[in-house]
Amino acid sequence: MDALNPTRFIHALSWDQIPQAARHAAKRSLLDTLGVAAGGHGTRLSRIIRDHAAEDMPGRASMLFDDRTASLTGAAMAAGMMIDSLDGHDGYNPAKGHIGAPLLPGLLAFGIEQDVSGKDFLTAMVAGYEIGARTATAQHGTCPDYHTSGSWGAVAVAAAGSRLKGLDLQQTRHAMGIAEYHGPRSQMMRCIDTPTMLKDGAGWGALCGVSAVQLAQRGFTGAPAITVEQAPEYWETLGQDWLITQQYFKPYPVCRWAQAPVEGVLALRAAHQLRSKQVQKITIETFHESCRLATARPQSTEEAQYSTSFPCAVALVRGALTPADIADDALNDPEILRLSTGLEMVEHDYANDAFPAQRYARVTLTLTSGDALHSDWMSPLWTAEAPPSDTELSDKFHDLAGPVLGKVRADAIEAAVWDLEARALSDLTQHLMSAPD
């Protein structure tokens, strides 16, 4: 395989070469990620990082959902962390992570700076997803540790950013090498075991990718990206198999690993018309990584988002799982805490063997009567194989963005996204780069 093939793909790709399914997938992911960003805007994490970018990383770049400016790298970092602050964004199972969360901030930073068309923006987005998906699987297949999405997301940002910035092939190659070398090789399971605002590294990945493009343009050189140039088996289908169409979406703003257990709880609750007081204990059989989401009594939304027991308890008590259910007063609900602290996690070989291609869980509810109810093996909703409809994604977007931005602004964003290939990027970004009213 020619070492520069992925680099050539980045710059040679045109909108006309992209299949309709991949074009539509780009717009779906764009709308979904912007909705998650709006939903995360009010988190303490988002407020801290936006203040940091505006005050400590000054510049002229507009910041997502903020009236202030920062450096290009600061604006990208703040947007990445805002998205990452609410664990509801799309993902790719083989990557064990999320491409859009680090990629979109870099796309916005360079897209606005270069005043690109909507079509050019979406083309770069497709290229970024294709590079990001393959870089992620190459890293996981060649590195023994499990790193956050920001590590390989930085390379995706560098790739798409190089296209938007107009770098040549050699500069692009250096940019991806710089991004891979300096990308945040942060340990994912460390964050799972101790959930904090560190999250999935999206903000640092965005910052690193943007910096890599800026450095490469100035002549800074980088060692070739190993995941791109020394793992040919992961790149054979580039330009043929469009991995952007194989992303999953999340109906709930918690870790993907907790979503199959939540589905099991909700299914049993509905089938038997249960009230939480009728349940003595919840037992979850699932894969090892999900069992590590062990925070039963969260003190912050970060701990609640990286928990299996707490969202399952919320689902049983409230029959729903929204951002409000994993923050603030909900964290102290005595009935939710009773079920969460009593929940038992059991590692199962069937679920282990299927991970990461599938994330299975089976639920048992032990009732106060002594009876036990058992679910089937459950998968999360909205998988790549059974994706949500456009209407379902639109409803999710408005549920998250509407309360923050207002209906008029949310409607304008959605309209611009669905028609973006026929518009200027500014038709969308004029609704993004200011604070909510």
Side-chain angles (χ1 to χ4, degrees):
M1 175 183 175
D2 188 329
L4 288 182
N5 189 33
T7 310
R8 290 199 182 100
F9 169 83
I10 293 161
H11 289 284
L13 183 66
S14 70
W15 184 248
D16 293 340
Q17 293 173 320
I18 300 171
Q20 180 58 37
R23 295 181 189 181
H24 192 64
K27 290 186 276 190
R28 282 162 58 89
S29 285
L30 176 57
L31 182 70
D32 188 70
T33 308
L34 289 173
V36 174
H41 178 271
T43 61
R44 185 165 177 260
L45 188 166
S46 175
R47 292 194 297 271
I48 290 172
I49 200 62
R50 284 183 287 117
D51 287 346
H52 172 62
E55 295 168 13
D56 300 322
M57 306 176 74
R60 297 190 300 272
S62 298
M63 291 173 59
L64 183 61
F65 299 137
D66 201 295
D67 291 328
R68 297 168 293 180
T69 61
S71 66
L72 213 64
T73 51
M77 179 181 68
M81 290 196 179
M82 182 192 304
I83 295 165
D84 215 8
S85 72
L86 188 67
D87 202 351
H89 34 88
D90 68 354
Y92 179 55
N93 274 352
K96 297 191 286 188
H98 314 276
I99 301 168
L103 177 61
L104 179 57
L107 289 169
L108 288 172
F110 287 122
I112 293 172
E113 182 193 46
Q114 301 301 118
D115 193 23
V116 303
S117 68
K119 183 182 291 187
D120 287 344
F121 181 86
L122 288 171
T123 304
M125 185 175 181
V126 172
Y129 267 82
E130 297 305 311
I131 297 297
R134 290 168 173 84
T135 303
T137 52
Q139 181 178 300
H140 289 315
T142 57
C143 178
D145 210 350
Y146 176 9
H147 295 102
T148 62
S149 298
S151 59
W152 45 264
V155 181
V157 172
S162 293
R163 178 190 172 98
L164 291 176
K165 193 72 172 170
L167 271 60
D168 63 30
L169 294 180
Q170 195 63 15
Q171 288 172 322
T172 301
R173 188 182 183 209
H174 284 301
M176 290 193 290
I178 295 165
E180 184 190 70
Y181 191 84
H182 288 301
R185 289 292 181 107
S186 36
Q187 303 90 352
M188 188 66 219
M189 297 313 296
R190 176 179 171 187
C191 185
I192 293 298
D193 292 338
T194 309
T196 65
M197 293 181 185
L198 292 174
K199 305 289 279 192
D200 198 26
W204 287 107
L207 178 152
C208 183
V210 169
S211 295
V213 172
Q214 294 174 314
L215 287 168
Q217 187 179 42
R218 289 180 166 90
F220 197 95
T221 58
I226 296 172
T227 53
V228 178
E229 300 195 16
Q230 297 183 28
E233 64 272 26
Y234 297 96
W235 296 90
E236 294 171 349
T237 64
L238 182 64
Q240 303 168 31
D241 186 13
W242 298 88
L243 301 184
I244 192 171
T245 66
Q246 298 177 32
Q247 308 301 302
Y248 65 73
F249 294 90
K250 290 185 180 181
Y252 315 115
V254 297
C255 182
R256 187 68 168 179
W257 303 345
Q259 302 221 358
V262 167
E263 290 302 331
V265 170
L266 289 173
L268 291 174
R269 185 183 191 274
H272 299 277
Q273 298 183 322
L274 291 173
R275 292 172 288 109
S276 63
K277 296 291 187 183
Q278 297 172 264
V279 177
Q280 178 182 342
K281 181 182 178 182
I282 305 171
T283 302
I284 307 293
E285 297 171 277
T286 189
F287 54 96
H288 170 80
E289 286 81 359
S290 181
C291 291
R292 296 268 288 271
L293 296 169
T295 305
R297 192 182 289 271
Q299 302 299 306
S300 66
T301 187
E302 285 78 30
E303 292 184 354
Q305 290 177 46
Y306 280 163
S307 168
T308 296
S309 58
F310 192 81
C312 286
V314 169
L316 185 57
V317 172
R318 301 190 174 184
L321 186 55
T322 71
D325 294 317
I326 52 169
D328 304 324
D329 293 342
L331 302 181
N332 300 311
D333 185 307
E335 179 65 356
I336 293 174
L337 289 174
R338 176 183 74 84
L339 290 164
S340 180
T341 55
L343 185 144
E344 181 183 8
M345 300 290 294
V346 179
E347 190 171 332
H348 197 285
D349 287 343
Y350 176 77
N352 276 336
D353 291 343
F355 182 79
Q358 300 294 336
R359 287 87 189 273
Y360 290 132
R362 185 165 60 184
V363 177
T364 297
L365 300 182
T366 304
L367 306 183
T368 54
S369 65
D371 295 330
L373 304 174
H374 306 279
S375 79
D376 296 328
W377 281 106
M378 306 297 293
S379 177
L381 280 184
W382 296 359
T383 62
E385 298 77 18
S389 67
D390 288 351
T391 299
E392 288 172 316
L393 278 184
S394 174
D395 289 344
K396 175 189 170 184
F397 169 78
H398 285 280
D399 286 344
L400 292 173
V404 179
L405 305 177
K407 185 178 187 305
V408 172
R409 189 172 172 186
D411 285 345
I413 292 171
E414 181 177 23
V417 167
W418 289 128
D419 195 33
L420 191 57
E421 75 273 26
R423 299 185 182 218
L425 178 61
S426 58
D427 286 353
L428 171 62
T429 57
Q430 65 176 316
H431 304 297
L432 303 180
M433 300 301 168
S434 61
D437 294 335

